[in-house]
Amino acid sequence: MPSTIRPVLAVFAALTLLCGLAYPLAVTSLAQLLMPHQAGGSLVERQGQPVGSSLVGQAFTAPRYFWGRPSATAPMPNNASGSGGANQGPLNPALQEAVAARIAALRAADPGNPAPVPVDLVTASASGLDPHISPAAARYQAGRVAAARKLPRERVLQLVEAHTERPWLGVFGEARVHVLALNLALDTPAAMAPGLAHQARIADTR
């Protein structure tokens, strides 16, 4: 029996050191060396302070900001440590009620907008962390944002166009708008109407 246990313990110790210590240290060190921004969480900063990650959506609710996709993560929306979807089918009453409530909230925030609500504004992504919306979803909200900021709608649409990411090589993926980047651009003095630049802050949406 001892002759059997010793090799097993030796292999266990060797694999623990290799897979539990050496490999994670090597991967982490290479990541910090080759891609420090991504390894650090792809953080987005404003005036030296982190305001979010380019990979994780945020729950904007103020009328003067563009809203992102709903999130089904628990226990709070956009929980990066609990990525996942609701796993509810299209005939699930809970999903139908959630979609109806989201449509009602969008209509209430912009009652003069008769356009159909884009589907990505009322359904969560599979990860629950999607930081992007479709250009159609951004254009749908442009009137509300423009009115809240007292900006011309055309100016807001120009910012949407400037922050629309195109498919890679013109083929792979879909056109999309990064919500946090667009909202940060709206908060710059160049985008704001006179006298409003000091009022708009990302913190106000919490």
Side-chain angles (χ1 to χ4, degrees), residues 1-12:
M1 185 65 71
S3 61
T4 303
I5 293 177
R6 274 197 294 268
V8 171
L9 292 177
V11 170
F12 174 76

Side-chain angles (χ1 to χ4, degrees), residues 131-154:
H132 298 92
I133 55 176
S134 66
R139 289 192 294 268
Y140 174 85
Q141 302 180 71
R144 184 199 73 228
V145 173
R149 291 176 176 268
K150 296 181 173 59
L151 286 171
R153 186 173 184 271
E154 291 72 19

Side-chain angles (χ1 to χ4, degrees), residues 22-194:
Y23 177 75
L25 282 175
V27 171
T28 301
S29 299
L30 283 173
Q32 291 290 346
L33 178 65
L34 299 177
M35 48 186 74
H37 177 67
Q38 292 87 339
S42 298
L43 297 180
V44 178
E45 295 186 351
R46 170 57 57 88
Q47 297 178 349
Q49 297 296 321
V51 295
S53 169
S54 62
L55 304 177
V56 180
Q58 295 188 30
F60 293 97
T61 57
R64 64 176 174 269
Y65 287 108
F66 284 88
W67 299 353
R69 293 197 68 169
S71 172
T73 61
M76 77 283 289
N78 301 293
N79 179 15
S81 64
S83 172
N87 293 325
Q88 296 170 340
L91 300 182
N92 189 310
L95 178 62
Q96 295 174 356
E97 291 175 7
V99 169
R102 292 162 184 164
I103 292 175
L106 287 163
R107 295 296 192 197
D110 193 8
N113 187 353
V117 177
V119 67
D120 54 319
L121 287 179
V122 295
T123 55
S125 65
S127 69
L129 306 178
D130 194 346
H132 298 92
I133 55 176
S134 66
R139 289 192 294 268
Y140 174 85
Q141 302 180 71
R144 184 199 73 228
V145 173
R149 291 176 176 268
K150 296 181 173 59
L151 286 171
R153 186 173 184 271
E154 291 72 19
R155 174 56 181 151
V156 175
L157 288 173
Q158 287 174 358
L159 288 170
V160 169
E161 179 65 20
H163 288 82
T164 297
E165 303 172 13
R166 307 300 175 184
W168 185 56
L169 298 179
V171 176
F172 300 102
E174 298 288 337
R176 58 204 180 275
V177 179
H178 196 280
V179 178
L180 176 59
L182 178 57
N183 285 336
L184 287 173
L186 282 166
D187 276 348
T188 60
M192 300 295 294

